[in-house]
């Protein structure tokens, strides 16, 4: 099998109904893999699955309605995936939310919601995937983190905390799973043109001035790096975080 040929890959992807998660699924599908779309928005999930599997009359076989905050539901989802498609060989944790608030206005509820999705949900998903992969003695997991996990900005206390934890969790999982032949890496996107970013577009009017490439990134550009980490091209890469931000964090301004 060539390094880019992923025809035998079974790849669950969370947050797959839109944005980076959807782009990852489309990119995987183009390489011959079987991306499985996981999300908690049923309507968007079915639309996205039909978009990825345009040539299939049974697109519903490739999507799973699941709330990553529910560890039991995540575990059951992987059992269902194994029953229908075979055990997962790769996995991408792309689900994430943002609830802007500074430390003075941050509520317990808002903090918990972000941590539950961005960190706990990612852990539940990765743990379930890792158990299948460790048994098979192979696999690759990619967590979609953020440059917010490497630095901070105003009114993002919960978000940057969750993404920083995700990056270090990625390192720890890579150490735990390396002996099983399972790789774990992260991608840290900068400002990417996604539905979440669109809701906050007014706060990013001058963002391109801070980016070396003078433009906002696209979900496909993040998906390309994710595919690299999933593939055998990255066979000796684990515990790493690749920044995809157009050079935004290269400057100390």
């Amino acid at each position: 099998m060539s390094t880019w040929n992923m025809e035998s890959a079974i790849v669950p992807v969370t947050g797959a109904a839109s944005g980076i998660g959807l782009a990852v699924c489309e990119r995987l599908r183009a390489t011959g893999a079987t991306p499985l779309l996981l999300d908690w928005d049923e309507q968007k999930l079915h639309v996205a699955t039909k978009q990825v599997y345009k040539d299939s009359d049974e697109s519903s076989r490739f999507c799973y309605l699941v709330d990553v905050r529910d560890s039991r539901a995540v575990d059951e989802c992987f059992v269902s995936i194994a029953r229908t498609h075979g055990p997962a060989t790769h996995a991408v944790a792309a689900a994430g939310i943002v609830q802007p608030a500074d430390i003075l206005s941050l509520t317990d509820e808002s903090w918990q919601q972000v941590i539950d999705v961005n960190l706990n949900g990612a852990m539940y998903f990765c743990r379930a995937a890792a158990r299948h992969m460790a048994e098979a003695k192979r696999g690759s997991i990619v967590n979609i983190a953020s440059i917010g996990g490497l630095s901070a900005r105003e009114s993002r206390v919960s978000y940057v905390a969750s993404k920083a934890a995700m990056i270090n969790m990625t390192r720890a999982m890579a150490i735990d799973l390396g002996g099983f032949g399972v790789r774990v890496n992260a991608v840290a996107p900068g400002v990417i043109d996604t539905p979440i970013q669109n809701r906050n577009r007014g706060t990013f009017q001058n963002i391109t001035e801070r980016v070396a490439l003078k433009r906002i990134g696209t979900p496909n550009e993040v998906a390309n790096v994710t595919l690299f980490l999933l593939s055998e091209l990255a066979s000796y890469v684990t515990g790493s975080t690749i920044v995809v931000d157009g050079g935004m964090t290269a400057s100390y301004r």
Side-chain angles (χ1 to χ4, degrees):
M1 185 174 73
S2 73
T3 52
W4 281 113
N5 184 350
M6 298 183 67
E7 288 185 3
S8 62
I10 306 298
V11 195
V13 180
T14 64
S18 63
I20 292 170
L22 176 55
V24 168
C25 290
E26 291 181 312
R27 192 72 181 87
L28 284 165
R29 181 63 175 158
T31 67
T34 302
L36 302 174
L37 290 77
L38 280 60
D39 207 284
W40 62 9
D41 188 318
E42 185 172 11
Q43 183 176 358
K44 289 183 179 179
L45 178 60
H46 287 297
V47 171
T49 307
K50 289 179 181 178
Q51 182 176 325
V52 173
Y53 287 95
K54 299 181 181 71
D55 55 346
S56 175
D57 294 328
E58 299 182 330
S59 61
S60 60
R61 294 179 62 246
F62 303 101
C63 66
Y64 294 83
L65 184 66
V66 62
D67 185 341
V68 295
R69 299 172 298 180
D70 185 339
S71 63
R72 179 175 295 181
V74 172
D75 289 342
E76 290 174 351
C77 180
F78 272 86
V79 171
S80 181
I81 287 170
R83 186 183 303 120
T84 303
H85 301 280
T89 61
H90 304 70
V92 179
I97 62 172
V98 180
Q99 293 193 0
D102 63 32
I103 191 61
L104 299 177
S105 61
L106 180 64
T107 65
D108 292 352
E109 180 183 20
S110 177
W111 166 268
Q112 197 62 54
Q113 286 176 348
V114 173
I115 296 300
D116 279 345
V117 175
N118 295 4
L119 182 58
N120 294 343
M123 190 280 287
Y124 298 149
F125 175 76
C126 290
R127 182 179 62 186
R131 286 169 173 166
H132 287 264
M133 295 178 192
E135 185 175 350
K137 297 293 192 293
R138 64 188 178 95
S140 178
I141 298 171
V142 176
N143 290 316
I144 305 300
S146 167
I147 58 171
L150 301 170
S151 59
R153 57 163 301 198
E154 71 280 359
S155 300
R156 292 292 189 277
V157 174
S158 56
Y159 183 78
V160 300
S162 68
K163 293 301 184 177
M166 173 186 271
I167 288 171
N168 224 27
M169 181 179 74
T170 297
R171 297 185 182 108
M173 290 193 301
I175 295 169
D176 288 347
L177 297 172
F180 294 95
V182 179
R183 297 183 297 106
V184 189
N185 292 287
V187 177
V191 181
I192 307 298
D193 190 7
T194 65
I196 288 179
Q197 204 63 266
N198 286 339
R199 289 198 293 271
N200 299 298
R201 187 170 293 275
T203 64
F204 292 97
Q205 293 177 354
N206 301 317
I207 197 67
T208 56
E209 292 303 313
R210 298 170 55 198
V211 178
L213 294 180
K214 303 304 179 186
R215 64 178 178 83
I216 290 174
T218 69
N220 281 336
E221 289 173 312
V222 180
N224 286 338
V225 177
T226 302
L227 180 62
F228 161 70
L229 290 172
L230 290 173
S231 78
E232 285 304 304
L233 286 173
S235 59
Y236 200 58
V237 181
T238 194
S240 294
T241 298
I242 297 182
V243 175
V244 185
D245 70 349
M248 183 176 179
T249 55
S251 171
Y252 63 78
R253 288 184 298 163

